[in-house]
């Protein structure tokens, strides 16, 4: 079942419920901010101090960073992570699939406003499949008659029981760019958290696993080879918008991305799709 609701402040959300899971998606930003399997607990972290408000990005869930990830290379005054987080998508379709899962497709087209920031014609579709897994696909169609280049991220915030118990595996031996030191390094072992971490892992082809004291989650990516791992830790959390001081303890971002050398050039009238499939694993 998919229900479109308008909140009192005019903010539109979709509520999805099926035999596998429930989910909530904001039309602003094409932003899923709740996914919970019927037999499990919430997968996505959302800041309790983040409101659903027009013009403000939700702090948590899966923000879409598009058509650039991080700072804009040409103009540092443009918004970090692109302009889509506060753009209004419209519901293109929703349907129950044969296996009982729910598919939702949202669409954003270029507009006078978007072209004033990024002068290209495009269609941006985000497809969600709400099932035993959460699948999210972001497809960029270039409607220009020239190629254009994008970087992007599905900036997933995962809820964890305690950051001190978190281990991320699947990135061992991968090169990464450390955004804090601006140096390149190679990951030796599983990633653990004892300080701020902000890294872009490169050449990632296989699944990444997030484990805490209570569960494991598998993340499979397609159409990308970069994975961003971020936790702001104590001091940066205090400076972040819409985040309580202790927020870093219960969240970690593992982002499916096209970043750095993994930027994508899309030919005229062609598409590029980046996909993340997020599966909470059953413990034996
Ligand atoms: O993906 C990691 C990152 O780029 C960090 O550097 C960090 O500050 C962040 O995303 C959150 O950015 P935001 O624009 O949402 O405050």
């Amino acid at each position: 079942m998919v229900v479109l609701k308008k909140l009192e402040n005019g903010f539109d959300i979709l509520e999805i419920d099926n035999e596998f899971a429930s989910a909530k998606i904001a039309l602003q930003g094409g932003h899923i901010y709740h996914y919970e399997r019927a037999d499990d607990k919430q997968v996505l972290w959302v800041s309790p101090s983040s409101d659903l408000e027009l013009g403000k990005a939700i702090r948590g869930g899966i923000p879409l960073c598009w058509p650039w990830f991080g700072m804009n290379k040409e103009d540092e005054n443009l918004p970090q992570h692109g302009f889509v987080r506060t753009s209004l998508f419209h519901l293109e379709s929703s349907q129950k699939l044969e296996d009982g899962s729910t598919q939702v497709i949202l669409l954003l087209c270029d507009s006078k406003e978007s072209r004033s920031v990024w002068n290209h014609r495009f269609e941006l579709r985000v497809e969600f499949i709400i099932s035993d897994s959460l699948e999210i696909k972001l497809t960029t169609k270039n409607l220009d008659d020239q190629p254009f280049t994008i970087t992007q991220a599905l900036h997933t915030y995962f809820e964890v029981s305690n950051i001190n118990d978190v281990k991320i595996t699947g990135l061992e031996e991968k090169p990464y760019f450390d955004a804090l030191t601006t140096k390149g390094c190679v990951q030796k072992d599983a990633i653990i958290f004892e300080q701020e971490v902000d890294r872009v892992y490169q050449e990632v082809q296989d699944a990444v696993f997030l484990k805490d004291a209570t569960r494991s989650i598998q993340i499979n990516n397609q159409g990308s080879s970069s994975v961003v791992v971020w936790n702001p830790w104590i001091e940066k959390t205090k400076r972040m918008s819409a985040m309580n001081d202790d927020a870093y303890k219960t969240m970690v971002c593992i982002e499916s991305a096209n970043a750095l050398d993994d930027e994508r050039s899309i030919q005229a009238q062609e598409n590029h799709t980046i996909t993340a499939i997020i599966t909470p694993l059953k413990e034996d």
Side-chain angles (χ1 to χ4, degrees):
M1 192 174 63
V2 180
V3 178
L4 176 60
K5 268 194 184 169
K6 195 175 270 300
L7 306 184
E8 271 178 19
N9 62 2
F11 197 89
D12 290 314
I13 61 167
L14 293 168
E15 290 185 342
I16 297 131
D17 211 356
N18 62 35
E19 62 189 277
F20 303 108
S22 63
K24 290 182 187 172
I25 299 170
L27 292 193
Q28 175 174 278
H31 193 147
I32 186 163
Y33 62 96
H34 175 87
Y35 168 71
E36 185 173 350
R37 260 191 358 197
D39 55 353
D40 206 342
K41 52 188 185 324
Q42 165 79 325
V43 169
L44 303 174
W45 180 86
V46 183
S47 173
S49 53
S50 178
D51 295 325
L52 300 176
E53 239 180 89
L54 288 167
K56 258 198 189 172
I58 301 169
R59 173 70 67 200
I62 312 186
L64 305 178
C65 304
W66 189 97
W68 59 86
F69 171 77
M71 284 293 179
N72 182 283
K73 279 201 273 183
E74 273 101 53
D75 184 352
E76 288 195 353
N77 295 319
L78 290 176
Q80 150 139 311
H81 295 325
F83 55 84
V84 160
R85 290 188 287 180
T86 51
S87 301
L88 198 60
F89 284 66
H90 82 258
L91 176 61
E92 186 173 68
S93 66
S94 68
Q95 61 169 324
K96 188 172 177 179
L97 301 179
E98 250 173 47
D99 65 359
S101 55
T102 307
Q103 180 201 51
V104 171
I105 301 179
L106 306 182
L107 173 64
L108 177 73
C109 297
D110 64 276
S111 59
K112 207 170 153 207
E113 207 186 344
S114 74
R115 289 192 297 277
S116 71
V117 181
W118 193 67
N119 193 16
H120 295 287
R121 294 186 180 267
F122 64 84
E123 278 175 0
L124 184 65
R125 275 191 178 76
V126 56
E127 172 182 348
F128 301 92
I129 297 184
I130 310 301
S131 185
D132 253 358
S133 296
L134 166 62
E135 185 169 336
I136 169 167
K137 277 186 186 191
L138 184 64
T139 299
T140 304
K141 181 164 191 188
N142 178 356
L143 299 182
D144 277 348
D145 46 19
Q146 301 285 331
F148 62 56
T149 299
I150 58 165
T151 55
Q152 59 181 343
L154 310 172
H155 194 304
T156 311
Y157 287 75
F158 288 98
E159 179 148 310
V160 295
S161 55
N162 186 331
I163 193 69
N164 296 324
D165 300 323
V166 168
K167 257 190 183 179
I168 296 174
T169 57
L171 295 170
E172 297 85 342
E173 289 164 32
K174 296 295 175 196
Y176 68 85
F177 172 75
D178 188 329
L180 303 175
T181 62
T182 67
K183 291 204 169 92
C185 302
V186 174
Q187 183 65 38
K188 284 201 193 105
D189 306 314
I191 303 168
I192 55 165
F193 294 85
E194 295 169 321
Q195 58 189 350
E196 184 179 352
V197 169
D198 192 349
R199 302 175 184 162
V200 182
Y201 287 84
Q202 292 154 303
E203 301 170 21
V204 183
Q205 306 304 341
D206 300 325
V208 177
F209 296 87
L210 165 64
K211 195 168 172 30
D212 70 6
T214 57
R215 69 169 165 203
S216 296
I217 294 176
Q218 177 171 341
I219 304 140
N220 289 85
N221 298 314
Q222 294 157 11
S224 69
S225 64
S226 341
V227 170
V228 181
V229 175
W230 179 57
N231 179 286
W233 212 246
I234 301 164
E235 289 310 318
K236 186 160 183 184
T237 300
K238 291 182 189 160
R239 301 194 300 272
M240 300 289 303
S241 60
M243 254 186 158
N244 296 342
D245 286 357
D246 60 354
Y248 74 96
K249 292 182 183 168
T250 55
M251 55 71 60
V252 67
C253 286
I254 304 178
E255 308 164 32
S256 314
N258 293 120
L260 303 176
D261 294 348
D262 187 30
E263 65 178 19
R264 299 294 165 122
S265 175
I266 307 173
Q267 299 300 313
Q269 305 304 318
E270 303 261 301
N271 296 311
H272 170 68
T273 300
I274 183 172
T275 304
I277 303 167
I278 295 167
T279 313
L281 299 175
K282 291 233 160 45
E283 299 296 331
D284 298 327

